[in-house]
Amino acid sequence: MSSATPWTRHRLPLVGALRLGRPSDIWFKPALSAVAAVAPPNLTLLALGRLDLAVYTMAGSLCALYGHNRPYAARARALVWTVLGMVGGLAVALVAASLTDNAVVLVTVGALMAAAQKAVCDATRIGPPANVVLTFISSASLFAPQRLGQVPGHVGLALAAGAWAWLICMAPGLLRPHGPERRATAQALNTAAAYAETGGTGDGHARARAASAAAVHAARQYLPTAGARPDHTRRALAQLLVRAEVALAAPADADPERLRAWARELRGTGRIPRAEPLGDAAGELLGADSEPACPRGPLRHRLAPLAPLAARTAIGCALAGYASLALGVGRPYWALVTAASLYQANVTLTWSRGVQRVVGNLVGVLVFAAIAPLAHLHPAALVLCCLAFNFGAEALIGRNYWLGSVCVTPMALLVTEFARSQDPGRLITERVADTLVGALVGFVAAVAVTNRRAGDRVEHALTAVERARELAARLLAEPHPAPRALETARRTLAAALVDLRATADAALGEWWQRALPEERVVLAEQAGHRTLAATVRRQGLVPLEQDSGRTTEDIRP
């Protein structure tokens, strides 16, 4: 990286940040789960005339947004921790609200909680919507009128709704118990087919290779949790995943159309397509399931590198809340949540998220202005409108964050009216002011609070790749390496390469840091993928009579 200033080195996209992507293959699952989790508690409270309590049940219900890409065994555990984290944050917020009404103190508490939620969600890789929903619930609860004696009951409502959300998210497993593993394997096959079409050469092949490696690595992490019943399901998925790995290592020998045909069959509910075994790799893949290639380590070790991002979140959220208070806005937590929603892996991505947040919220308040008269006709209309926006938000947010925000914004505004009707004009004014304040102050904090550890993480990732490659090379040099050891070395190297690419991409978007070893990263990736290709051939996954000799890295920079 040159020594040019960040303003000339890093572009700040506007139009690109708003470009729509393809919807997720399972876009309807979180959308339907959210409605199924939110509707029964809200409708029950509506029938009881206690819609004011819906704010607390929604804290638990919104846990249904998490974990839809995880296998069901892993999803069950992740959702338990999500519910406990959500309810724990709610409890802290309600206790703080019952002990003081000092807005500055409450904003400070909210900022510290937002930083903790950001760090834990990133460290555990819980996935979308990550810390944003947790921060929204806890920050809003800080400014809800509360007495200490009411806290246990309100927390109990959230816990009960969270248990219901857990059941909703686990229910599809009764009909399609291996659905997440099938989707992950299909994604690996599709990305491998896209990379195979490049032949390992030409423009964009490096990007396609990185996407394929990440998809294959993700699918491999799912197989150990697929379970042993029925064993043939696990074995069939492993065989297909091996085919994706072969295409990644030797794209010139792969058949993209066949890979895509297998992926299409996996998307449905029929039988898993059969791929003839290639060597002993499938058996070794299954045998190594209990030995993760890259152990994640204790949570405290994963939290340590995230300290700069946590500090950035705490400072940005606090300053956004204080600025909102200084302007006299009645809901400073909106500014706090806006700032918390911005922070991504680096400053460049944070800028893009800020653009998306502002555009989505501004369009969203216009939608709220149009829908408010209908929602005010009856409390039932209010609940139904919220459910509709809840579905729309989850259905659209996968295409671009701003599009989902168009539904999230009116939904959040309508939720504030569960306790009592409010002036739409005032709500709109305050929401626009807090959005602009939160986005501006939050981004300034992101620029000011540097992440010097980004370069260190690249160095660590490079070291991991080099060590993994050396181990694989030593095994390849042996006349008869142990198949299991060779497979483990291959998996370790593949995982290290995925981590290196993700770490390097994050560091390149960070500002105000020392020069990064970009050339060393490229050379390490090229050498690593050449070694992977050699390992695949040594394992007999590419028959020698069909091996063209072309690897993923025959093109030199």
Side-chain angles (χ1 to χ4, degrees), residues 430-450:
E430 291 181 347
R431 184 64 187 231
V432 170
D434 278 334
T435 294
L436 297 177
V437 168
L440 177 61
V441 175
F443 182 71
V444 170
V447 174
V449 181
T450 59

Side-chain angles (χ1 to χ4, degrees), residues 107 315-343 354 357-359 361-362 428-446:
V107 166
I315 294 172
C317 291
L319 293 178
Y322 300 152
S324 177
L325 288 174
L327 293 176
V329 180
R331 293 176 177 81
Y333 65 87
W334 279 346
L336 189 156
V337 174
T338 295
S341 70
L342 302 186
Y343 299 119
R357 179 83 181 191
V358 170
V359 171
N361 281 14
L362 294 182
I428 290 172
T429 302
E430 291 181 347
R431 184 64 187 231
V432 170
D434 278 334
T435 294
L436 297 177
V437 168
L440 177 61
V441 175
F443 182 71
V444 170

Side-chain angles (χ1 to χ4, degrees), residues 25 176 178-194 212 215-216 218-220 222-223 236-237 240-241 244 256 258-268 272-273:
D25 291 333
R176 201 163 181 249
H178 293 89
E181 295 90 342
R182 290 173 65 127
R183 287 194 299 272
T185 305
Q187 178 68 12
L189 290 168
N190 277 326
T191 55
S212 179
V216 168
R220 184 185 292 123
Y222 284 177
L223 283 182
L237 290 172
L240 292 172
L241 184 57
R258 194 176 188 188
L259 294 173
R260 288 198 174 96
W262 284 332
R264 285 193 296 270
E265 292 183 62
L266 285 176
R267 299 291 187 189
I272 296 176

Side-chain angles (χ1 to χ4, degrees), residues 350-543:
T350 297
W351 162 265
S352 296
R353 180 54 57 87
V355 173
Q356 295 162 357
R357 179 83 181 191
V358 170
V359 171
N361 281 14
L362 294 182
V363 176
V365 296
L366 297 179
V367 174
F368 171 74
I371 203 70
L374 172 62
H376 289 162
L377 291 177
H378 191 274
L382 178 63
V383 171
L384 293 177
C385 286
C386 282
L387 291 175
F389 284 126
N390 208 329
F391 180 89
E394 297 310 313
L396 298 175
I397 204 164
R399 302 202 64 184
N400 194 298
Y401 183 81
W402 78 264
L403 195 59
S405 296
V406 171
C407 291
V408 171
T409 300
M411 181 183 70
L413 291 171
L414 290 173
V415 167
T416 64
E417 301 196 85
F418 279 170
R420 57 183 175 83
S421 296
Q422 301 180 57
D423 177 27
R426 182 177 178 182
L427 285 176
I428 290 172
T429 302
E430 291 181 347
R431 184 64 187 231
V432 170
D434 278 334
T435 294
L436 297 177
V437 168
L440 177 61
V441 175
F443 182 71
V444 170
V447 174
V449 181
T450 59
N451 183 10
R452 297 287 182 175
R453 296 189 182 183
D456 295 337
R457 296 185 69 184
V458 173
E459 291 289 345
H460 294 326
L462 274 169
T463 301
V465 167
E466 290 164 354
R467 289 177 177 173
R469 180 179 176 273
E470 289 173 1
L471 175 60
R474 283 199 301 270
L475 290 172
L476 288 171
E478 295 178 5
H480 302 288
R484 184 185 180 91
L486 190 59
E487 174 62 19
T488 300
R490 179 172 71 88
R491 291 179 58 175
T492 301
L493 177 55
L497 287 168
V498 171
D499 182 64
L500 174 61
R501 175 42 43 201
T503 304
D505 286 344
L508 286 172
E510 195 60 60
W511 296 6
W512 318 114
Q513 62 179 328
R514 66 179 185 275
L516 296 175
E518 295 183 63
E519 183 177 357
R520 186 182 165 200
V521 169
V522 172
L523 293 176
E525 287 183 310
Q526 291 178 340
H529 282 282
R530 282 197 296 271
T531 302
L532 281 181
T535 306
V536 165
R537 289 195 296 273
R538 182 63 178 273
Q539 290 177 300
L541 300 181
V542 180

